[in-house]
Amino acid sequence: MNIPNNTPAILSNFLIYLGAVRGLSSATIQEYYLDLRTFFRFLLIHRGLADVDAAFEEISIQDVGIELIRGVTLSDLYDFLIFLRENRPKYHKSATTPYGDEAGTRARKIAALRAFFKYLHGREHLIEDNPAAELEIPKAKKQLPKYLSLEESVQLLSSVDGPYRERDYCILTIFLNCGLRVSELAGLNLGDVSDTVMRVTGKGNKQRMIPLNDAVREAIRAYLPHRIEPASARDQNALFTSRNRNRISVQTVKLVVNRHLERAGLSYKDCSAHKLRHTAATLMYQNGVDIRTLQEFLGHEQVNTTMIYTHIENVAIREAVDANPLGKVHSDSAGAETPVRRDETQEETEET
């Protein structure tokens, strides 16, 4: 990522370390930056060092230095978590937004704090004690991912239309067949795609190769003649481009998917670009792909992450059992029947 000019040195050095030493992707480093910027802004308010009339998102962190950070205690971190849970708007551009970060969002910010203070204490030796060492990550409620059925997926693809039809159809086809993350799709280059495989750069800049089926190959071939030529040399190799003649952004990809979900009458499903990845994985698992192969396909580092799809399958089986009309027939309402007793001759005949 390009580190903003007004980023304090203590944070800039940490972000450089994440990329150069730990090899994290630009997208992940960006998340660390945003989470720590939120903490720095809170800390400035907490210490009475911020302009009381300034909006939270406008508070400058440029002057944050090691002296301020050395004064951070575990109690300050707990106060920050309370602030996140009670005072953070969920939708920053909405006047009617509810407040309070979800447990998953708070957990991500805690992970950023723990990594930052561990770096200052254990690697740079800039602080004597690590206040985040005992900071626990809240347990997020586990929810089964939402996904489209096979019929709904076909319905979505069939409804694609508009001035960028070929591009949008190709994007949806790749999501539904290749199970990419949104950032992975936006980051695809022309050279990443051959007639048989696609090279995908995932989290931590780890690459994986995904074989292409007929649907994906045909969608890419149909799209390429309609690809908008980028204006900037920086984006010349981008596979997907926007009407502004640059590499398509993650946000634009999300908007494209949401627009076509609405067109297909599927917006009620609370689906999204990322949930199309769940759709691909779920359909594959339901059609016999084993969990280890699915793990490699999705680029999951731990198989436990992939195991969520086994729970989806269990729910589907339960729903199938419940859908059987005989499940509502009880012996007390149907009347008790005397089981037919077969003699040994009948049993022997049937076994033969």
Side-chain angles (χ1 to χ4, degrees):
M1 78 171 259
N2 294 322
I3 300 175
N5 293 330
N6 61 350
T7 304
I10 193 171
L11 179 53
S12 293
N13 293 337
F14 173 63
L15 299 176
I16 293 170
Y17 160 77
L18 293 178
V21 178
R22 291 185 53 185
L24 301 187
S25 68
S26 295
T28 302
I29 295 172
Q30 174 75 5
E31 293 296 335
Y32 274 94
Y33 166 75
L34 295 175
D35 290 340
L36 290 170
R37 185 181 66 178
T38 299
F39 172 68
F40 287 172
R41 285 172 171 167
F42 164 81
L43 191 59
L44 290 169
I45 294 174
H46 202 52
R47 294 283 190 268
L49 300 174
D51 183 354
V52 293
D53 296 324
F56 185 86
E57 300 301 327
E58 296 176 0
I59 295 174
S60 173
I61 63 169
Q62 189 169 3
D63 295 329
V64 171
I66 189 60
E67 292 304 321
L68 179 63
I69 299 302
R70 281 188 180 130
V72 173
T73 65
L74 182 59
S75 178
D76 292 326
L77 299 180
Y78 284 146
D79 288 338
F80 177 58
L81 295 182
I82 294 172
F83 166 77
L84 294 176
R85 191 182 64 203
E86 298 180 355
N87 301 105
R88 284 290 286 167
K90 288 187 177 181
Y91 311 109
H92 298 289
K93 296 182 179 180
S94 171
T96 58
T97 179
Y99 284 78
D101 282 346
E102 300 291 344
T105 304
R106 298 199 307 275
R108 192 193 68 202
K109 289 181 170 61
I110 290 174
L113 288 170
R114 289 172 61 168
F116 177 64
F117 282 102
K118 182 179 179 180
Y119 161 81
L120 294 179
H121 176 256
R123 187 171 186 86
E124 295 298 316
H125 308 291
L126 293 174
I127 56 177
E128 291 186 9
D129 299 306
N130 180 357
E134 303 299 324
L135 194 61
E136 298 178 0
I137 295 180
K139 291 184 178 180
K141 184 189 298 183
K142 291 186 177 180
Q143 295 181 332
L144 294 179
K146 295 180 174 64
Y147 60 96
L148 299 179
S149 67
L150 175 59
E151 293 75 16
E152 289 166 339
S153 300
V154 173
Q155 179 181 336
L156 173 62
L157 291 171
S158 301
S159 69
V160 177
D161 204 353
Y164 309 104
R165 180 188 181 281
E166 291 79 10
R167 182 200 67 183
D168 296 356
Y169 183 87
C170 188
I171 286 174
L172 294 173
T173 299
I174 290 176
F175 273 138
L176 290 169
N177 286 274
C178 301
L180 268 61
R181 300 178 177 94
V182 183
S183 59
E184 292 172 345
L185 183 135
L188 286 174
N189 290 321
L190 291 169
D192 292 330
V193 180
S194 72
D195 195 48
T196 56
V197 295
M198 174 185 295
R199 181 176 58 227
V200 177
T201 303
K203 290 185 175 181
N205 289 321
K206 294 180 180 178
Q207 294 187 338
R208 64 188 189 277
M209 304 299 289
I210 296 181
L212 303 183
N213 58 25
D214 291 341
V216 176
R217 285 196 294 267
E218 291 175 9
I220 292 174
R221 280 198 293 264
Y223 157 64
L224 287 177
H226 299 272
R227 174 179 174 269
I228 299 172
E229 190 67 23
S232 168
R234 180 189 61 186
D235 297 327
Q236 281 300 310
N237 294 324
L239 176 60
F240 291 110
T241 53
S242 71
R243 64 182 181 181
N244 296 325
R245 300 184 62 195
N246 52 23
R247 180 185 293 276
I248 198 167
S249 68
V250 167
Q251 189 60 34
T252 299
V253 172
K254 292 178 179 179
L255 291 173
V256 164
V257 172
N258 290 340
R259 181 168 64 245
H260 290 295
L261 283 167
E262 187 171 355
R263 179 190 290 273
L266 295 169
S267 55
Y268 73 95
K269 293 285 293 185
D270 192 26
C271 200
S272 65
H274 187 69
K275 292 180 177 66
L276 295 187
R277 169 174 161 88
H278 293 318
T279 297
T282 303
L283 293 177
M284 288 180 184
Y285 184 75
Q286 289 176 341
N287 284 274
V289 178
D290 68 85
I291 204 69
R292 288 290 182 181
T293 302
L294 197 58
Q295 175 193 2
E296 184 177 351
F297 176 82
L298 295 171
H300 287 160
E301 191 158 335
Q302 302 293 333
V303 72
N304 288 346
T305 308
T306 321
M307 291 296 290
I308 187 72
Y309 298 106
T310 66
H311 300 307
I312 291 175
E313 180 77 357
N314 292 339
V315 171
I317 292 173
R318 166 52 58 191
E319 290 176 348
V321 171
D322 290 342
N324 190 330
L326 291 176
K328 297 180 174 59
V329 176
H330 303 285
S331 61
D332 56 352
S333 60
E337 295 183 0
T338 303
V340 177
R341 184 173 182 177
R342 300 182 298 177
D343 59 32
E344 294 179 0
T345 304
Q346 287 177 312
E347 290 179 355
E348 183 177 357
T349 303
E350 290 174 2
E351 288 174 0
T352 304

